Amino acid sequence: AQKVTQAQTEISVVEKEDVTLDCVYETRDTTYYLFWYKQPPSGELVFLIRRNSFDEQNEISGRYSWNFQKSTSSFNFTITASQVVDSAVYFCALRGTSGTYKYIFGTGTRLKVLA
Amino acid sequence: NAGVTQTPKFRVLKTGQSMTLLCAQDMNHEYMYWYRQDPGMGLRLIHYSVGEGTTAKGEVPDGYNVSRLKKQNFLLGLESAAPSQTSVYFCASSYPPPFMGEQYFGPGTRLTVT
């Protein structure tokens, strides 16, 4: 079975602090894809990043960075120098390549950045 | 391009009423999905479709029906609404394998059943 766990339900930080959102996944597929989405207070779901299972290279995009470690089945997301606009719910998702064509979402982490 | 659109954006129903939510995408995606989002439960898959004329059950299909008569449209029906179906509904679409990219989401429909 496939599963995504986001153990942090809610995190509060003060602006300019760094924050890491954890994502742990389970899958038996050797090829799979991992995603992060952002859901700001306005409600839409915004795609942030995709990573395939063969690419363990970390990625940095501005203040955002992602750490993919197959050995620990984790795909963590770090925001450096957080800003109030980063306040949102963040979802991690997994898509395998065998069987059905579903995306499995974690329950999300609500990030509150305080001014 | 409009991407993924959903109609309506808001709706209030009384228990037992029926309604249809419409999802449309203009990206020529084969795959389309309906999710519901409830507090603390993330996104749960209701039904999905891997192509025109095909549909399949997701994680929470009871009380819903779907149809994919045209590639660009995916309809979600509630035959007899119940308060437990109060939720925010999201439609999404994506490319099929071997393109394993991200899903594109609509803006959501907030449904309240009283």
Side-chain angles (χ1 to χ4, degrees):
Chain A
Q2 298 183 333
K3 185 178 180 182
V4 174
T5 301
Q6 293 181 258
Q8 304 154 308
T9 304
E10 185 169 315
I11 301 174
S12 291
V13 299
V14 177
E15 206 170 18
K16 298 184 182 177
E17 286 185 358
D18 298 347
V19 58
T20 296
L21 310 182
D22 298 332
C23 173
V24 174
Y25 63 91
E26 295 176 26
T27 181
R28 294 180 182 174
D29 292 344
T30 54
T31 301
Y32 51 90
Y33 295 78
L34 296 163
F35 308 85
W36 275 95
Y37 289 86
K38 175 182 180 180
Q39 187 176 41
S42 53
E44 74 272 24
L45 284 149
V46 179
F47 165 73
L48 294 178
I49 190 171
R50 172 185 68 247
R51 173 66 72 231
N52 72 54
S53 53
F54 295 111
D55 182 4
E56 287 194 70
Q57 196 170 19
N58 291 334
E59 177 144 347
I60 299 175
S61 176
R63 296 184 297 106
Y64 295 172
S65 62
W66 290 268
N67 183 357
F68 175 34
Q69 292 194 337
K70 288 179 74 172
S71 60
T72 56
S73 297
S74 64
F75 186 41
N76 296 338
F77 173 29
T78 297
I79 301 175
T80 302
S82 59
Q83 299 176 2
V84 172
V85 293
D86 296 326
S87 296
V89 180
Y90 291 86
F91 290 98
C92 180
L94 163 72
R95 181 176 183 175
T97 53
S98 64
T100 59
Y101 306 99
K102 304 175 191 176
Y103 293 76
I104 308 299
F105 282 81
T107 51
T109 297
R110 181 177 298 277
L111 174 64
K112 293 185 177 180
V113 181
L114 308 173
Chain B
N1 285 351
V4 180
T5 58
Q6 292 182 231
T7 308
K9 289 187 169 53
F10 303 93
R11 186 73 185 268
V12 178
L13 286 180
K14 293 184 178 179
T15 298
Q17 288 185 321
S18 64
M19 78 163 293
T20 300
L21 282 68
L22 170 64
C23 176
Q25 52 95 3
D26 61 2
M27 295 172 283
N28 205 33
H29 286 165
E30 289 290 337
Y31 290 7
M32 296 186 75
Y33 313 77
W34 275 108
Y35 293 90
R36 60 177 289 172
Q37 183 179 24
D38 302 294
M41 302 194 74
L43 289 161
R44 293 186 292 169
L45 183 65
I46 305 171
H47 286 280
Y48 65 101
S49 167
V50 300
E52 182 178 320
T54 70
T55 62
K57 293 181 180 180
E59 185 184 356
V60 289
D62 293 342
Y64 305 95
N65 57 75
V66 288
S67 64
R68 183 97 181 270
L69 299 179
K70 293 183 178 181
K71 185 177 182 179
Q72 64 268 33
N73 295 337
F74 194 28
L75 278 63
L76 177 70
L78 286 72
E79 292 183 344
S80 180
S84 60
Q85 294 178 304
T86 293
S87 187
V88 180
Y89 292 85
F90 286 97
C91 175
S93 68
S94 72
Y95 289 110
F99 305 103
M100 302 298 281
E102 66 275 16
Q103 291 176 306
Y104 295 77
F105 283 89
T109 296
R110 185 173 296 274
L111 175 66
T112 302
V113 183
T114 61

